[in-house]
Amino acid sequence: MTVSTIKARNISVSLDLTVGHIADMVVEGGGRQLRPLHRAPWVDAGETLPDDLPEGTVRLSGDFLCAPFSRSDVEEAPLHGWPANSAWDVVESAATEDGWRAVYRLRHKVMGASVDKILTLRDGHPFLYQEHVFSGGHGAISVAHHPMTAMTGGGRLAFSPKRFAATPDDPLEPDPARGRFMLGYPGRSADLTHFPAAGGGTLDLTEYRMGDRREDFLTLVEADHGGPGWTALARGAEQDLVLVLKNPSELPITMLWFSNGGRDYAPWSGRHRGVLGIEDGRTAIGHAASIGDNWLTREGVATAFALGAGRSVSFRHIIGAMPLSGGEPPQAITTADGRMRLAAGSSSWEVPFDSDFLRIGRTAAA
């Protein structure tokens, strides 16, 4: 594995250049080292894996860019596209006045476009600031981030306002000989604490319980609230808070992947437990579906960026972590004047934050 590591005060990030996955992220806070991102148990085990696995599954780690998200059925590429499965080069990596900035370029083109990944760390900020830029190309591309976190004792979730949550027509693992699921497919609810369950009744999407062995996938559509989109996960045993933030005009949906021992075949083998994917995107499921008429576009939700010669499109994303005792995520997050303010019940706290980075209030390119 070829790794590029960048550091600023109290934070470091390592990128696996063979596939563009974040191999490690460490935030120092409260006298501890917090590791908010997951790395699949087989990555460093040296075991023999099935021959037909995409390289992105072989090296499944942290966060990575999907372009397209899911099936590559317009331009030939592995699952989640070349950005998640092939090599990136270091274009630039250097200290700045207040941290570190690195630029990486994908060796492959995507729909004829060059793709840059820009990672920025700031001294004392418990956040990784990311930007991806597509330059040139043709047609249109769906995109998503794919951050994954893992828990040993479950956790509690909170979100910025959402219009609704919905599952696709079919579960990820419909065959009980291979896996299991708990949500209803298809299902839909505007109340995230009461989502239709497979066996009747409802499930609370804001609670991650380790006893629920499952493989579930659903999409949350952002409401029109004028602020950043965010997901907050209070990890119980880890006693920390994992935060994922986006600009809803750029990435209007958040997909949740509950992966808790719900796949019995290799390499998952029932051991991929306590994992939650928090996948902000501009996509449907598969490239062809994303650039055509689909259930999200019928809801007025954009599912792809247009590419073109002499044109560039970009989107930004943030992942962070901080100590948290009590196990309850914030119910409100506001950002202004270089600070993030988090509020839970009668308590609130602030952390340093680049409040201009997400370009809130600016319309994303189509």
Side-chain angles (χ1 to χ4, degrees):
M1 177 175 68
T2 304
V3 173
S4 171
T5 297
I6 63 174
K7 297 180 179 181
R9 179 162 47 87
N10 296 335
I11 187 169
S12 67
V13 171
S14 297
L15 185 71
D16 180 350
L17 294 173
T18 59
V19 287
H21 294 213
I22 295 175
D24 197 17
M25 175 176 173
V26 180
V27 177
E28 297 181 14
R32 298 190 290 141
Q33 288 192 337
L34 311 179
R35 281 185 160 85
L37 296 180
H38 166 65
R39 188 165 171 84
W42 56 82
V43 174
D44 301 310
E47 62 190 75
T48 301
L49 299 176
D51 292 336
D52 59 350
L53 290 181
E55 195 63 20
T57 303
V58 171
R59 307 203 59 77
L60 184 67
S61 302
D63 177 37
F64 51 89
L65 171 65
C66 306
F69 179 81
S70 186
R71 295 183 297 272
S72 296
D73 49 8
V74 173
E75 180 179 63
E76 185 176 356
L79 178 73
H80 293 319
W82 292 118
N85 291 275
S86 64
W88 295 71
D89 293 318
V90 180
V91 175
E92 142 188 358
S93 184
T96 62
E97 288 185 355
D98 62 349
W100 201 278
R101 181 180 183 271
V103 180
Y104 307 92
R105 181 160 298 154
L106 182 67
R107 290 182 191 173
H108 266 277
K109 295 292 182 70
V110 175
M111 297 296 289
S114 63
V115 184
D116 287 353
K117 180 192 299 286
I118 305 169
L119 305 185
T120 302
L121 303 178
R122 300 194 187 283
D123 291 334
H125 289 218
F127 299 103
L128 164 63
Y129 301 96
Q130 294 192 71
E131 180 174 14
H132 285 95
V133 183
F134 287 70
S135 301
H138 55 85
I141 188 67
S142 62
V143 301
H145 275 267
H146 202 293
M148 299 165 289
T149 188
M151 297 152 275
T152 57
R156 298 283 301 177
L157 284 150
F159 306 94
S160 55
K162 310 298 181 189
R163 286 169 54 191
F164 61 87
T167 48
D169 290 342
D170 301 304
L172 295 175
E173 298 298 341
D175 183 352
R178 290 169 59 83
R180 61 205 60 83
F181 58 94
M182 294 186 66
L183 298 180
Y185 293 82
R188 178 168 172 152
S189 178
D191 182 353
L192 302 188
T193 64
H194 292 85
F195 193 89
T202 62
L203 291 171
D204 184 352
L205 299 178
T206 69
E207 185 176 4
Y208 196 113
R209 298 185 302 185
M210 293 300 295
D212 295 339
R213 293 176 67 83
R214 61 194 292 204
E215 204 75 23
D216 277 306
F217 177 86
L218 72 157
T219 297
L220 312 182
V221 175
E222 200 76 18
D224 185 9
H225 54 78
W230 55 267
T231 300
L233 171 64
R235 300 193 295 180
E238 292 76 12
Q239 296 187 57
D240 63 12
L241 181 70
V242 178
L243 288 171
V244 180
L245 300 101
K246 64 178 184 177
N247 182 337
S249 73
E250 297 174 353
L251 305 173
I253 65 169
T254 298
M255 298 166 285
L256 298 180
W257 173 36
F258 291 81
S259 184
N260 188 34
R263 285 175 168 153
D264 295 332
Y265 53 91
W268 315 92
S269 306
R271 59 180 166 168
H272 199 251
R273 303 204 58 206
V275 178
L276 179 68
I278 304 169
E279 304 165 18
D280 294 324
R282 188 185 187 95
T283 185
I285 297 177
H287 195 176
S290 299
I291 63 176
D293 178 61
N294 61 68
W295 73 276
L296 282 166
T297 58
R298 291 191 290 272
E299 295 277 357
V301 179
T303 55
F305 283 111
L307 304 174
R311 170 188 176 94
S312 68
V313 295
S314 70
F315 51 95
R316 294 180 174 183
H317 190 258
I318 300 173
I319 301 170
M322 60 194 70
L324 180 73
S325 59
E328 288 301 318
Q331 298 305 308
I333 294 177
T334 54
T335 62
D337 302 322
R339 307 288 291 177
M340 172 186 285
R341 186 172 188 271
L342 306 96
S346 59
S347 64
S348 64
W349 66 101
E350 292 187 356
V351 293
F353 182 75
D354 185 346
S355 49
D356 295 325
F357 182 78
L358 287 176
R359 305 182 289 204
I360 301 299
R362 292 174 56 185
T363 302

